[in-house]
Each structure stands twice: as structure tokens, then as C-alpha cells.
Amino acid sequence: EEITEQYNTLFDFDSDYGCLAYEVADDHSVVKKFETACTKLGYDMKLIDTFGGSDNNNFLRNGITGIVIACGMNQVHSCREFTHIDELIKCSNIVIKLLTE
């Protein structure tokens, strides 16, 4: 801007963030609720960093804390992507548990 003013020319700049990185602490209540739901259902769970993008990036950017629940995604974003019915049922059970307790 200083240089364009010095030479009496125009300056135009636009920036857009498609996906901002985030991190939710392992001890956050959202994570604890997820862990509790999995424990009550007898499901093994683990927290991992994905380095991917989802709607959750924008939710967090706007003050809504959440996590992404992996729901049986195998060979993601490939022509061989697939899932199993039992994986979808488990994910559904977790969502129901989170909504009702």
C-alpha cells in the first residue's frame, strides 16, 4: 500500500481462507462426551490428527467446538472408497448416545 501511494497507483488485494486448521484439547468436554459414549457402548476408540478439512473447521472458526467422528471410511477419496454396514451402525449408535445422554 505504501509503494502504491508513493507512485500514485492502485492496490487491490483479496484473501480467503478455505480451511483453517484447528485442534480440540483431549480434555475438552466434547471429547470427553465422545469417549464416554464409546465406553458405554463398548467400542474401542482413539483420537487421531487428520490434517483434513470438514464442516467442523468452519464451526470452530465460528465458536462451535466439535470433533469429527470417523464413520467407517476406507480408502477415502479414491475410486475404491467403501464402508461396511456394521461400521455405519456403530457410528449411528454413537450419535444416538451423544444425543440422548
Side-chain angles (χ1 to χ4, degrees):
E1 288 179 325
E2 292 175 15
I3 297 299
T4 58
E5 287 174 13
Q6 181 180 348
Y7 290 96
N8 194 27
T9 187
L10 299 175
F11 173 79
D12 186 27
F13 178 80
D14 188 25
S15 178
D16 186 25
Y17 297 100
C19 186
L20 293 176
Y22 69 89
E23 183 175 5
V24 177
D26 291 355
D27 62 351
H28 192 281
S29 63
V30 168
V31 176
K32 292 299 178 191
K33 286 178 185 178
F34 173 72
E35 289 175 335
T36 299
C38 289
T39 299
K40 287 183 177 182
L41 291 165
Y43 297 161
D44 293 330
M45 55 81 49
K46 64 180 176 179
L47 303 174
I48 61 169
D49 296 329
T50 64
F51 304 105
S54 72
D55 292 338
N56 202 48
N57 294 74
N58 287 319
F59 293 150
L60 276 143
R61 194 163 116 187
N62 289 286
I64 302 169
T65 302
I67 59 173
V68 175
I69 301 172
C71 53
M73 300 173 291
N74 302 283
Q75 297 184 26
V76 180
H77 303 308
S78 75
C79 293
R80 294 177 175 223
E81 184 171 350
F82 69 95
T83 191
H84 296 282
I85 300 274
D86 63 320
E87 293 173 331
L88 294 175
I89 291 170
K90 285 181 179 180
C91 186
S92 298
N93 290 339
I94 293 169
V95 171
I96 291 167
K97 185 66 76 178
L98 290 169
L99 291 171
T100 58
E101 294 192 9

